[in-house]
Amino acid sequence: MKKLYIETVGCQMNVLDSELVVAALRKEGYELTASTADADTVLFNTCSVRQHAEDKIYSALGRIKEAKRDDPKKVIGVIGCMAQKDQQLVFDRAPYVDLVVGPGQLHQVPQLIRNIEAGAGQQMEVSLGRKEGSRDQIERSHESFDPLRDPSMRPTPFQAYVRIQIGCDKFCTYCIVPSVRGPEQSRPPEQIVAEARQLVSEGCKEITLLGQTVNSYRYQAGERTTRFSDLLTDLHAIEGLERLKFVTNYPKDMTDDLLAAVRDLPKCAKYLHVPAQSGSDAQLKRMRRGYTVAEYREMFARTVEKIPGVAVSSDFIVGFSGETDADFQLSMDLVRECRFKNSFIFKYSERPGTKGADLLPDDVPEQVKRDRNNEMLALQNEISEADNQGFLGRQVKVLVEGLSKAAQKKESPSAEDNGPLVQLIGRTMCDRIVVFDGNRRQVGQTMPIAIYDANVHTLFGTVVTQHVGAELVTLE
Ligand code: 5AD
Ligand code: SF4
């Protein structure tokens, strides 16, 4: 058996890509290993969305240099977004790398490794850039090989990601995604439903649909158009599926039919991640987000009105080109007003190859970016904590994901199923993390938990037995 070590950074899309690569390599006789030392092949699945993510990979490559010198047969590969963005530069910076493969060429990984083993030297396969051919040619050069799955690489055995769309056509000026992941293409609905059905038959209870702008999904076949809401309805009908989630949404495509579907389909999480990025019109314009703050507010109000109990989360970029204190305060106002369940806050990181890097100066000093990041995080934390405190004394339904990190450290893997209580971790329908004491047998079950404590990121609870009579909150 050959051994594969794979390290993944970045978004859920990358986690899914790694699952598919592992599935393909298992077919070649590989098994996974947790150490680079005894691996025959070492793969880094990379991210380009911020400089920091790239720096991490280049330093990991630096650390592997010696291992490669000691064992020249070890195949070292860089795959994913940074491979597509940097291409030959990866070989220039780390000449001992054997393999560079973009996210649209991952199906080639097994063959390319075979070529390297046969002595063919360094191998590189990347997709066409956004200006390197006709739309059709570029689309065809970004391929995803979704049907191959590998249960061991899923977040848990009962949770899986399903891709419904690749690429992005929005071209926000700060973002590298449209160039590394190519044109937006929706997958045929039949394929998606078949894949979901298969996953559910293997025991998956929760499916998270993935796309850069998942709610822009639209599939045209002859006269028939499948909208995202139609797709949700089709997936909802799968027997055995308990939870349906999706990320990430584009504010302008939050249509009424979608909101109605989320409201009316019980398996659909009443949780929507809809990144605002900024609360300043001037900044949204420079970002070319395609909406105004008033339009975002309108979308937000409509969402809250149409879906009772909905939880909305957001992303913000602070310190984007030209952001003044006043612009930043407008973003703070939006956070304060919308009271997002949580927000992911990022310091602007200029990405070569984007319109932002070409046309707009990266002119907010690092210290100012850091201060704004901290200020917004403090505000969001206050809001998230207050939101979580609202659950004290209530019951939530939790899909139990496994042992908490603390419990994993303590437990030996051979512990009996019916052993003493362990600390378990799970999530509510709206993605709130819940920690409680339970039995290993409860992993994978959906169960009511009564909440007695809460902090910014976590709810703490106890398993509800029948004699505990608290109000049952089914929405969260
Ligand atoms: N710098 C900082 N944050 C970025 N994001 C995307 N591109 C950049 C960048 N160049 C953030 C956006 C997006 C999230 C996934 O990452 O907020 O929603
Ligand atoms: Fe990037 Fe904008 Fe596309 Fe999101 S919508 S992936 S931020 S270009």
Side-chain angles (χ1 to χ4, degrees), residues 89 245 270 274 446 451:
L89 187 65
K245 300 182 172 182
K270 278 42 177 172
V274 200
T446 307
I451 303 303

Side-chain angles (χ1 to χ4, degrees), residues 49-50 168 170 172-175 177 212-213 248-251 273-293 296 299 313-321 323 327-328 330-332 334-335 340 343-348 376:
V49 87
R50 281 170 290 276
C168 182
K170 304 294 195 268
C172 305
T173 51
Y174 52 81
C175 188
V177 168
Q212 302 304 333
T213 55
T248 283
N249 293 286
Y250 186 62
H273 181 61
V274 200
Q277 310 297 2
S278 172
S280 149
D281 279 336
Q283 288 306 97
L284 288 175
K285 203 162 180 187
R286 290 160 82 84
M287 292 175 171
R288 294 206 194 146
R289 282 291 283 176
Y291 53 84
T292 61
V293 186
Y296 187 91
M299 178 282 305
S313 63
S314 182
D315 289 351
F316 283 89
I317 296 176
V318 296
F320 182 62
S321 175
E323 188 185 67
D327 289 319
F328 172 65
L330 290 170
S331 292
M332 292 285 282
L334 191 64
V335 173
F340 297 106
S343 292
F344 299 95
I345 303 159
F346 306 103
K347 290 180 292 175
Y348 174 53
M376 188 177 276

Side-chain angles (χ1 to χ4, degrees), residues 182-238:
E184 181 181 315
Q185 302 180 65
S186 293
R187 263 179 102 193
E190 301 76 26
Q191 253 184 43
I192 297 168
V193 174
E195 190 175 341
R197 225 179 259 293
Q198 177 66 28
L199 287 164
V200 171
S201 78
E202 291 168 15
C204 279
K205 295 185 170 181
E206 177 184 294
I207 283 181
T208 303
L209 307 174
L210 299 185
Q212 302 304 333
T213 55
V214 77
N215 58 333
S216 316
Y217 177 91
R218 177 170 278 267
Y219 193 83
Q220 190 86 38
E223 293 287 278
R224 198 170 135 248
T225 305
T226 307
R227 300 167 302 174
F228 184 49
S229 55
D230 302 323
L231 180 67
L232 287 178
T233 308
D234 291 350
L235 289 164
H236 190 270
I238 298 176

